[in-house]
Amino acid sequence: MRKLSRRQQTNRKKTENIICSSTEEAVSILIETATAKFTETVELHANLNIDPKYADQQLRTTVTLPNGVGKSIRIAVLTNETNFAEASNNGADIVGSNDLIEEISQGNINFDLLIATPDMMPKLAKLGRVLGPKGLMPSPKSGTVSTTLSATLEEFKKGKFEYKADKTGIVHVSFGKSNFSASQLSENLIALYKSIEQNRPPGVKGKYFKSLFICTSMGPSIQLDLNMFD
């Protein structure tokens, strides 16, 4: 069995047998355990009482956190030539039409998010095997198929992102960086929790949340009281 480092042992002592009853307490411990030599990502792991194999128990939605997630993204826009100027002037990093489709088909994916106008979606169908596994296929549900490019680009540049539950019913999502202030992390955590709660799938019966944990990318899990957001 691999021996824990002194840093890991110290951090575990700070979180063992503790269930945080307030966001202030949870975020304080989170910051204390962010002791890696780089800026760590801060994550929420929510175990939900859902079975995603049923259509009415799936969770997939978007959220814009008050303080962003501390990450800049490259956005590509697939549209016709009449919209090129609008996309470029509103923050798109890559703009294209058939030429962009050809680039993608060759495996040249130099972006983190792909936004498309509806008229281009039939042409994208053949690229489902390339974009699907990477989570880059535009869809109306995620807000990445749009006729209002300027507004859509503004939202995603501000930090709007998509999240979903995995096949076991757990949501794994980042809500900031370890160099955020305590108030910024608390605001983001509350906003993310409310987003998950408000998008409760219609097929869920009884209690929705099974457990909630937060952590940094290199730190121990910190358990949250399920009633702390009431």
Side-chain angles (χ1 to χ4, degrees):
M1 184 176 178
R2 186 172 65 87
K3 185 178 179 181
L4 293 176
S5 68
R6 185 176 299 175
R7 182 188 71 83
Q8 291 172 315
Q9 290 177 27
T10 301
N11 276 344
R12 282 201 174 184
K13 289 178 182 178
K14 295 176 182 177
T15 59
E16 278 182 336
N17 303 317
I18 292 176
I19 300 177
C20 296
S21 57
S22 69
T23 55
E24 292 78 13
E25 179 188 12
V27 167
S28 175
I29 296 174
L30 187 76
I31 293 173
E32 282 184 39
T33 56
T35 54
K37 294 180 180 179
F38 60 90
T39 302
E40 299 177 65
T41 297
V42 175
E43 306 163 358
L44 170 71
H45 302 273
N47 189 0
L48 306 177
N49 182 32
I50 62 175
D51 188 346
K53 72 181 180 183
Y54 298 107
D56 64 350
Q57 294 190 45
Q58 295 175 359
L59 174 64
R60 181 178 181 180
T61 188
T62 59
V63 65
T64 303
L65 299 182
N67 304 293
V69 293
K71 177 184 177 183
S72 59
I73 60 171
R74 282 177 59 81
I75 300 178
V77 173
L78 180 66
T79 186
N80 58 68
E81 292 185 11
T82 59
N83 296 321
F84 280 11
E86 180 185 2
S88 297
N89 294 337
N90 285 280
D93 299 285
I94 301 170
V95 181
S97 182
N98 292 329
D99 56 331
L100 180 54
I101 291 176
E102 183 61 28
E103 284 286 310
I104 296 171
S105 67
Q106 294 175 5
N108 298 323
I109 300 176
N110 301 313
F111 51 83
D112 304 299
L113 179 74
L114 179 61
I115 295 171
T117 48
D119 57 307
M120 301 302 293
M121 288 305 293
K123 297 181 180 181
L124 264 184
K126 64 181 181 180
L127 298 179
R129 291 183 179 180
V130 178
L131 296 172
K134 296 180 182 294
L136 294 173
M137 191 69 177
S139 73
K141 185 176 288 188
S142 65
T144 48
V145 176
S146 173
T147 56
T148 55
L149 289 177
S150 56
T152 301
L153 282 162
E154 183 180 3
E155 288 178 345
F156 281 104
K157 282 293 183 180
K158 284 183 177 178
K160 180 179 180 179
F161 63 93
E162 181 185 34
Y163 67 88
K164 62 180 179 179
D166 66 17
K167 63 182 180 180
T168 65
I170 301 176
V171 174
H172 308 275
V173 60
S174 65
F175 63 96
K177 296 287 185 179
S178 58
N179 59 357
F180 279 23
S181 68
S183 61
Q184 287 177 316
L185 289 173
S186 291
E187 289 170 1
N188 278 3
L189 176 58
I190 292 170
L192 182 55
Y193 173 85
K194 286 182 177 179
S195 173
I196 297 172
E197 183 180 46
Q198 290 166 1
N199 287 282
R200 175 182 174 131
V204 176
K205 306 298 181 185
K207 187 168 72 171
Y208 182 30
F209 291 91
K210 289 183 177 179
S211 64
L212 288 170
F213 289 85
I214 60 173
C215 65
T216 59
S217 50
M218 298 295 289
S221 295
I222 301 164
Q223 188 170 4
L224 309 183
D225 188 322
L226 294 176
N227 299 313
M228 68 184 282
F229 296 98
D230 294 343

